[in-house]
Amino acid sequence: QIRLVESGGASVQAGGSLRLSCRSSTDIILNYCMAWFRQAPGNEREGLATLDSDGTTTYTASAKGRFSISKDNAKYTLYLQMNDLKPEDTAMYYCAAAPVCVGYDWDAYSYWGQGTQVTVSS
């Protein structure tokens, strides 16, 4: 059974940093497109970054320059390093997996974690 489990969310002050983790129960992380999304209350789920199996990364405007996606294949773990956090980054953060990278269309992602909460105070 494929499971994705996020961790690392916390309450931090503006300007701080966090590293989110997403551990996979199988080696899906080796061959699938992995991504990070977030959703704030009242907002649609928003894509942040993707990491293809060949190491290619993409970032949306919300993430570019402050967030970095990476993975440790040996640990079956995906990461999202977030720096210079702002109150508008407050949201539930999700990792997801898709057979191929097709951008940030939710429907393309077959597997989702349960989310980890990030709260940024000013």
Side-chain angles (χ1 to χ4, degrees), residues 104-116:
Y104 300 96
D105 181 359
W106 309 346
D107 289 340
Y109 289 84
S110 309
Y111 304 100
W112 291 84
Q114 83 291 345
T116 187

Side-chain angles (χ1 to χ4, degrees), residues 69-85:
I69 189 171
S70 63
K71 65 179 178 176
D72 185 330
N73 286 337
K75 295 182 179 179
Y76 291 175
T77 301
L78 178 74
Y79 301 104
L80 184 69
Q81 177 68 42
M82 304 188 296
N83 300 324
D84 189 24
L85 285 162

Side-chain angles (χ1 to χ4, degrees), residues 50-112:
T50 65
L51 175 57
D52 206 343
S53 57
D54 66 358
T56 302
T57 59
T58 70
Y59 296 92
T60 62
S62 295
K64 204 164 189 176
R66 297 188 299 126
F67 296 179
S68 178
I69 189 171
S70 63
K71 65 179 178 176
D72 185 330
N73 286 337
K75 295 182 179 179
Y76 291 175
T77 301
L78 178 74
Y79 301 104
L80 184 69
Q81 177 68 42
M82 304 188 296
N83 300 324
D84 189 24
L85 285 162
K86 306 177 187 301
E88 51 265 41
D89 294 318
T90 295
M92 187 73 78
Y93 284 71
Y94 300 89
C95 65
V100 294
C101 276
V102 290
Y104 300 96
D105 181 359
W106 309 346
D107 289 340
Y109 289 84
S110 309
Y111 304 100
W112 291 84

